[in-house]
Amino acid sequence: MTFTCIELETRRRLLGLSQADLGVCVGLLAPKDPDDPQPVSQHAISRWEEGVNGHDTPPYWVQDSLPEILDRVGQVQEALARWAVTFLRGLDPDADGIVHVPTYRSDKAFARAFPKMAGWPASMWNNAAVRAVNRLDDGREYQFDLVR
C-alpha cells in the first residue's frame, strides 16, 4: 500500500501534532543523515501533505518509514499518557480542591521539566496530559496550567 499525502495529514492530525512537531519526530526517528539528525521543516511537511511537485505521495527517502514513524509516535504518546495518569494521581489539589496539571508552550520548557524527553515536542506531553485527565475518574477537578 502506498502512503498518500492525505493519509499523512490525517494521521498527523489524529496524533494531535502540528506540522512542525511531526518534523521534529521525523528528525528523531528517521533522520535523513543519522550522523547529524535534524528536524524536518514545517514547510517540508506542508509540501508532503500537499503533494510534492504534483505527486500524491511523500518523497522517496521517507515514504517507506512514515507509517512506522507515525506508529512509533502513537506508541510514545500512549506510554506518556499511561505514565501521566500515575503522575497526576501524585499531584495534590490546591486549597480550592483543584489539581493543577502542567502543560508546556515550548519544547525547551518541556525538556527542562522532563529531561529524558528532551528533543521531543511539548505537544506530546500536552496530548498525553489531556488523555490522562480524561481517563481519570477520581472525582477531582483538574486545571491545565501553561508553563512557558
Side-chain angles (χ1 to χ4, degrees), residues 23-42:
V24 170
C25 294
V26 171
L28 285 170
L29 298 173
K32 193 170 185 178
D33 179 359
D35 295 328
D36 184 27
Q38 296 291 318
V40 173
S41 73
Q42 179 274 325

Side-chain angles (χ1 to χ4, degrees), residues 7-8 22-23 36 48 54-55 59 67 71 78 94 129 140 148:
E7 184 177 2
L8 171 61
L22 178 58
D36 184 27
W48 295 356
H55 299 287
D71 288 346
E78 181 56 32
D94 66 12
R140 302 193 309 170
R148 294 185 185 270

